[in-house]
Amino acid sequence: MSFSGKVKEELSRQWSSARHCQIAELAAMLSVCGSIVIDSRNRYGIKIHTENIAVARKVFTLIKKTFNIESDISVRRNILRQSVSYSIIVKQHQDALRILQATKLTEEYQNGFEEIHIVNPIVVQQPCCRRAFIRGAFLAAGSMSDPEKSYHFEIVCAAEAMAEQVKELLCSFETDAKIVQRKKVYVVYVKEGSQIVDILNIMEAHVSLMELENVRILKEMRNTVNRKVNCETANINKTVSAAVKQVEDITYLRDTIGFEKLSEGLEEIALARLSHPEASLKELGELLSPPVGKSGVNHRLRKLSELAEKVRQEQGGLL
Ligand SMILES: [Zn+2]
């Protein structure tokens, strides 16, 4: 199962004990994937459509537990798309009205078929209800990418007003949610790993939160190790190219002025470097008698390079 699917599975079993939160969660699901069916006698029905069994289960249970209303479920298989979709239907006018009144979704509906788009702010006044609302909206129309690949959280809204509301609610928990229009829909999204962790916490998906944190820690460790390795490789490259240059300078001096003109200390280090081109400064120092420290070796090698440079200039590029 995808990470997104696992989060939904967990959330579908998550249960708010307070009635106000249950109503907020159902209101979110109704506004995102629900619609109102109005017949010729102006009697209401409610229909909620989803392709996710976990979502269907949650809606059915919310309606049952919060309102003690039995809804009907119809299952449709689409052979071409190889998908299954579920419709939860509240047929009785009185039942539909009770749900719409409690969720404050009773606005002026015309005849026919109405999409619901925005929830009355009273329903999401308390922080506990805002959490429940975000959970409902994510269940109904959200998805998340696998954190191993990337960090992306989104809720797809059919109307701009709905997207604005979801974004505002997410931002009220100090996340930096944004909206982008994708064809005919408005997508509220968050792309930052630590904020997605926060959102899982807001929705109270604690198992998924731990899983995401584990992935994040492993990724972080991998990055640190890679940085360290890169840094060490760079240092080794630097050391090697410095040694190559030293050998070049020493060979040049040997072939031009010869080692006889060098002081004893310089000659000693020059011979040591030529016979041990790959040795570190510390190792070179240990080859000398008496041994010389790293900075002493560095000093002598620099002297040799300066001398080689001087000779090159005097030779005027002749050699
Ligand atoms: Zn509440």
Side-chain angles (χ1 to χ4, degrees), residues 94-111:
Q94 283 308 323
D95 291 346
L97 212 55
R98 255 174 73 209
I99 294 172
L100 292 172
Q101 274 163 355
T103 50
K104 306 254 183 304
L105 291 167
T106 41
E107 279 156 51
E108 38 346 307
Y109 293 111
Q110 319 288 314
N111 280 335

Side-chain angles (χ1 to χ4, degrees), residues 66-183:
T66 316
F67 297 98
N68 198 24
I69 292 172
E70 292 284 348
S71 48
D72 295 331
I73 301 185
S74 78
V75 182
R76 185 175 294 168
R77 273 170 219 285
N78 186 323
I79 303 199
L80 280 178
R81 283 178 59 203
Q82 289 196 320
S83 66
V84 183
S85 63
Y86 308 86
S87 292
I88 292 101
I89 303 156
V90 179
K91 278 186 186 147
Q92 298 296 323
H93 176 69
Q94 283 308 323
D95 291 346
L97 212 55
R98 255 174 73 209
I99 294 172
L100 292 172
Q101 274 163 355
T103 50
K104 306 254 183 304
L105 291 167
T106 41
E107 279 156 51
E108 38 346 307
Y109 293 111
Q110 319 288 314
N111 280 335
F113 192 77
E114 289 284 328
E115 306 263 343
I116 308 165
H117 285 317
I118 184 158
V119 169
N120 190 318
I122 295 171
V123 174
V124 283
Q125 232 167 12
Q126 300 187 61
C128 57
C129 297
R130 289 207 290 269
R131 286 167 177 267
F133 181 94
I134 293 168
R135 183 163 60 232
F138 175 76
L139 267 171
S143 63
M144 280 175 76
S145 61
D146 184 341
E148 288 280 1
K149 291 177 192 132
S150 64
Y151 298 124
H152 183 89
F153 167 95
E154 70 174 39
I155 293 175
V156 178
C157 301
E160 194 173 7
M162 179 74 212
E164 285 292 344
Q165 186 171 42
V166 172
K167 182 191 150 188
E168 249 170 56
L169 288 173
L170 280 169
C171 290
S172 77
F173 287 100
E174 278 158 33
T175 60
D176 186 24
K178 295 191 177 70
I179 298 179
V180 64
Q181 193 175 1
R182 197 186 287 158
K183 288 178 187 164

